mmCIF file of all heavy atoms in Angstrom:
data_model
loop_
_atom_site.group_PDB
_atom_site.id
_atom_site.type_symbol
_atom_site.label_atom_id
_atom_site.label_comp_id
_atom_site.label_asym_id
_atom_site.label_seq_id
_atom_site.Cartn_x
_atom_site.Cartn_y
_atom_site.Cartn_z
ATOM 1 N N MET A 86 3.109 9.454 5.875
ATOM 2 C CA MET A 86 4.110 9.857 6.852
ATOM 3 C C MET A 86 4.491 8.749 7.825
ATOM 4 O O MET A 86 5.672 8.534 8.109
ATOM 5 C CB MET A 86 3.623 11.094 7.625
ATOM 6 C CG MET A 86 3.417 12.324 6.756
ATOM 7 S SD MET A 86 4.907 12.751 5.787
ATOM 8 C CE MET A 86 6.076 13.088 7.102
ATOM 9 N N THR A 87 3.503 8.024 8.357
ATOM 10 C CA THR A 87 3.795 6.948 9.303
ATOM 11 C C THR A 87 4.645 5.862 8.642
ATOM 12 O O THR A 87 5.599 5.355 9.235
ATOM 13 C CB THR A 87 2.494 6.341 9.858
ATOM 14 O OG1 THR A 87 1.828 7.318 10.665
ATOM 15 C CG2 THR A 87 2.777 5.113 10.712
ATOM 16 N N PHE A 88 4.307 5.522 7.406
ATOM 17 C CA PHE A 88 5.053 4.478 6.708
ATOM 18 C C PHE A 88 6.490 4.902 6.427
ATOM 19 O O PHE A 88 7.433 4.137 6.665
ATOM 20 C CB PHE A 88 4.338 4.134 5.396
ATOM 21 C CG PHE A 88 4.957 2.975 4.662
ATOM 22 C CD1 PHE A 88 5.275 1.797 5.308
ATOM 23 C CD2 PHE A 88 5.222 3.057 3.298
ATOM 24 C CE1 PHE A 88 5.833 0.720 4.631
ATOM 25 C CE2 PHE A 88 5.777 1.988 2.610
ATOM 26 C CZ PHE A 88 6.078 0.824 3.275
ATOM 27 N N LEU A 89 6.681 6.122 5.945
ATOM 28 C CA LEU A 89 8.034 6.588 5.649
ATOM 29 C C LEU A 89 8.874 6.686 6.917
ATOM 30 O O LEU A 89 10.065 6.345 6.916
ATOM 31 C CB LEU A 89 7.991 7.936 4.934
ATOM 32 C CG LEU A 89 7.361 7.939 3.540
ATOM 33 C CD1 LEU A 89 7.495 9.319 2.897
ATOM 34 C CD2 LEU A 89 7.986 6.877 2.637
ATOM 35 N N LYS A 90 8.262 7.148 7.998
ATOM 36 C CA LYS A 90 9.003 7.222 9.272
ATOM 37 C C LYS A 90 9.345 5.828 9.768
ATOM 38 O O LYS A 90 10.463 5.575 10.251
ATOM 39 C CB LYS A 90 8.178 7.972 10.318
ATOM 40 C CG LYS A 90 8.968 8.281 11.602
ATOM 41 C CD LYS A 90 8.170 9.149 12.544
ATOM 42 C CE LYS A 90 9.014 9.636 13.709
ATOM 43 N NZ LYS A 90 9.927 8.665 14.295
ATOM 44 N N PHE A 91 8.405 4.907 9.652
ATOM 45 C CA PHE A 91 8.631 3.520 10.042
ATOM 46 C C PHE A 91 9.806 2.923 9.259
ATOM 47 O O PHE A 91 10.714 2.326 9.827
ATOM 48 C CB PHE A 91 7.351 2.718 9.785
ATOM 49 C CG PHE A 91 7.491 1.226 9.931
ATOM 50 C CD1 PHE A 91 7.785 0.657 11.161
ATOM 51 C CD2 PHE A 91 7.303 0.396 8.843
ATOM 52 C CE1 PHE A 91 7.897 -0.728 11.301
ATOM 53 C CE2 PHE A 91 7.418 -0.983 8.965
ATOM 54 C CZ PHE A 91 7.717 -1.539 10.195
ATOM 55 N N LEU A 92 9.811 3.115 7.944
ATOM 56 C CA LEU A 92 10.887 2.570 7.110
ATOM 57 C C LEU A 92 12.215 3.249 7.396
ATOM 58 O O LEU A 92 13.263 2.589 7.453
ATOM 59 C CB LEU A 92 10.535 2.731 5.632
ATOM 60 C CG LEU A 92 9.400 1.866 5.092
ATOM 61 C CD1 LEU A 92 9.179 2.164 3.623
ATOM 62 C CD2 LEU A 92 9.678 0.388 5.298
ATOM 63 N N ASN A 93 12.185 4.562 7.553
ATOM 64 C CA ASN A 93 13.428 5.291 7.796
ATOM 65 C C ASN A 93 14.055 4.876 9.127
ATOM 66 O O ASN A 93 15.270 4.672 9.216
ATOM 67 C CB ASN A 93 13.149 6.794 7.791
ATOM 68 C CG ASN A 93 14.418 7.608 7.708
ATOM 69 O OD1 ASN A 93 15.282 7.366 6.858
ATOM 70 N ND2 ASN A 93 14.557 8.583 8.586
ATOM 71 N N ASP A 94 13.225 4.713 10.154
ATOM 72 C CA ASP A 94 13.736 4.321 11.472
ATOM 73 C C ASP A 94 14.181 2.860 11.495
ATOM 74 O O ASP A 94 15.077 2.490 12.254
ATOM 75 C CB ASP A 94 12.662 4.537 12.547
ATOM 76 C CG ASP A 94 12.365 6.006 12.783
ATOM 77 O OD1 ASP A 94 13.144 6.854 12.304
ATOM 78 O OD2 ASP A 94 11.348 6.312 13.433
ATOM 79 N N LEU A 95 13.558 2.042 10.667
ATOM 80 C CA LEU A 95 13.852 0.607 10.640
ATOM 81 C C LEU A 95 14.938 0.248 9.621
ATOM 82 O O LEU A 95 15.446 -0.872 9.615
ATOM 83 C CB LEU A 95 12.573 -0.157 10.304
ATOM 84 C CG LEU A 95 12.528 -1.676 10.533
ATOM 85 C CD1 LEU A 95 12.654 -1.996 12.021
ATOM 86 C CD2 LEU A 95 11.235 -2.264 9.979
ATOM 87 N N ASN A 96 15.317 1.218 8.791
ATOM 88 C CA ASN A 96 16.149 0.944 7.614
ATOM 89 C C ASN A 96 17.420 0.161 7.911
ATOM 90 O O ASN A 96 17.774 -0.772 7.183
ATOM 91 C CB ASN A 96 16.511 2.265 6.914
ATOM 92 C CG ASN A 96 16.680 2.069 5.423
ATOM 93 O OD1 ASN A 96 17.201 1.066 4.970
ATOM 94 N ND2 ASN A 96 16.211 3.040 4.653
ATOM 95 N N ASN A 97 18.107 0.510 8.983
ATOM 96 C CA ASN A 97 19.379 -0.153 9.294
ATOM 97 C C ASN A 97 19.208 -1.613 9.693
ATOM 98 O O ASN A 97 20.178 -2.377 9.708
ATOM 99 C CB ASN A 97 20.110 0.613 10.404
ATOM 100 C CG ASN A 97 20.605 1.968 9.934
ATOM 101 O OD1 ASN A 97 20.910 2.153 8.756
ATOM 102 N ND2 ASN A 97 20.672 2.921 10.843
ATOM 103 N N LYS A 98 17.968 -2.020 10.018
ATOM 104 C CA LYS A 98 17.707 -3.401 10.407
ATOM 105 C C LYS A 98 17.200 -4.241 9.235
ATOM 106 O O LYS A 98 17.025 -5.453 9.378
ATOM 107 C CB LYS A 98 16.677 -3.439 11.543
ATOM 108 C CG LYS A 98 17.138 -2.743 12.821
ATOM 109 C CD LYS A 98 16.078 -2.826 13.903
ATOM 110 C CE LYS A 98 16.533 -2.128 15.181
ATOM 111 N NZ LYS A 98 15.507 -2.193 16.254
ATOM 112 N N LEU A 99 16.957 -3.582 8.097
ATOM 113 C CA LEU A 99 16.427 -4.297 6.938
ATOM 114 C C LEU A 99 17.552 -4.896 6.115
ATOM 115 O O LEU A 99 18.547 -4.234 5.816
ATOM 116 C CB LEU A 99 15.601 -3.350 6.059
ATOM 117 C CG LEU A 99 14.391 -2.701 6.731
ATOM 118 C CD1 LEU A 99 13.689 -1.767 5.749
ATOM 119 C CD2 LEU A 99 13.422 -3.761 7.253
ATOM 120 N N ASN A 100 17.403 -6.157 5.738
ATOM 121 C CA ASN A 100 18.431 -6.853 4.969
ATOM 122 C C ASN A 100 17.775 -7.766 3.939
ATOM 123 O O ASN A 100 17.105 -8.730 4.294
ATOM 124 C CB ASN A 100 19.329 -7.670 5.913
ATOM 125 C CG ASN A 100 20.438 -8.379 5.171
ATOM 126 O OD1 ASN A 100 20.968 -7.888 4.170
ATOM 127 N ND2 ASN A 100 20.805 -9.557 5.647
ATOM 128 N N ASN A 101 17.934 -7.410 2.669
ATOM 129 C CA ASN A 101 17.371 -8.205 1.571
ATOM 130 C C ASN A 101 15.846 -8.282 1.673
ATOM 131 O O ASN A 101 15.246 -9.347 1.521
ATOM 132 C CB ASN A 101 17.979 -9.605 1.554
ATOM 133 C CG ASN A 101 17.842 -10.278 0.201
ATOM 134 O OD1 ASN A 101 17.811 -9.618 -0.837
ATOM 135 N ND2 ASN A 101 17.749 -11.600 0.205
ATOM 136 N N VAL A 102 15.240 -7.140 1.912
ATOM 137 C CA VAL A 102 13.798 -7.049 2.109
ATOM 138 C C VAL A 102 13.148 -6.382 0.896
ATOM 139 O O VAL A 102 13.674 -5.430 0.333
ATOM 140 C CB VAL A 102 13.454 -6.245 3.388
ATOM 141 C CG1 VAL A 102 11.955 -6.108 3.567
ATOM 142 C CG2 VAL A 102 14.089 -6.908 4.597
ATOM 143 N N SER A 103 11.995 -6.882 0.513
ATOM 144 C CA SER A 103 11.190 -6.269 -0.540
ATOM 145 C C SER A 103 10.123 -5.400 0.108
ATOM 146 O O SER A 103 9.329 -5.886 0.912
ATOM 147 C CB SER A 103 10.540 -7.360 -1.401
ATOM 148 O OG SER A 103 9.738 -6.795 -2.407
ATOM 149 N N ILE A 104 10.102 -4.106 -0.243
ATOM 150 C CA ILE A 104 9.159 -3.169 0.354
ATOM 151 C C ILE A 104 8.276 -2.592 -0.746
ATOM 152 O O ILE A 104 8.761 -1.909 -1.655
ATOM 153 C CB ILE A 104 9.873 -2.026 1.105
ATOM 154 C CG1 ILE A 104 10.774 -2.595 2.193
ATOM 155 C CG2 ILE A 104 8.854 -1.076 1.719
ATOM 156 C CD1 ILE A 104 12.236 -2.660 1.830
ATOM 157 N N CYS A 105 6.992 -2.862 -0.662
ATOM 158 C CA CYS A 105 6.022 -2.420 -1.667
ATOM 159 C C CYS A 105 5.031 -1.447 -1.043
ATOM 160 O O CYS A 105 4.459 -1.732 0.005
ATOM 161 C CB CYS A 105 5.280 -3.625 -2.248
ATOM 162 S SG CYS A 105 3.888 -3.199 -3.319
ATOM 163 N N ALA A 106 4.823 -0.307 -1.696
ATOM 164 C CA ALA A 106 3.811 0.657 -1.265
ATOM 165 C C ALA A 106 2.721 0.735 -2.319
ATOM 166 O O ALA A 106 3.000 1.019 -3.482
ATOM 167 C CB ALA A 106 4.441 2.032 -1.055
ATOM 168 N N LEU A 107 1.492 0.485 -1.918
ATOM 169 C CA LEU A 107 0.381 0.597 -2.856
ATOM 170 C C LEU A 107 0.017 2.060 -3.049
ATOM 171 O O LEU A 107 -0.379 2.746 -2.102
ATOM 172 C CB LEU A 107 -0.840 -0.190 -2.363
ATOM 173 C CG LEU A 107 -0.993 -1.597 -2.954
ATOM 174 C CD1 LEU A 107 0.208 -2.458 -2.593
ATOM 175 C CD2 LEU A 107 -2.282 -2.243 -2.486
#
Side-chain angles (χ1 to χ4, degrees):
M86 297 306 298
T87 293
F88 185 48
L89 295 185
K90 189 174 189 319
F91 171 65
L92 290 179
N93 194 50
D94 292 347
L95 194 65
N96 211 322
N97 291 330
K98 298 180 180 180
L99 300 179
N100 182 34
N101 201 29
V102 178
S103 179
I104 302 101
C105 171
L107 263 61

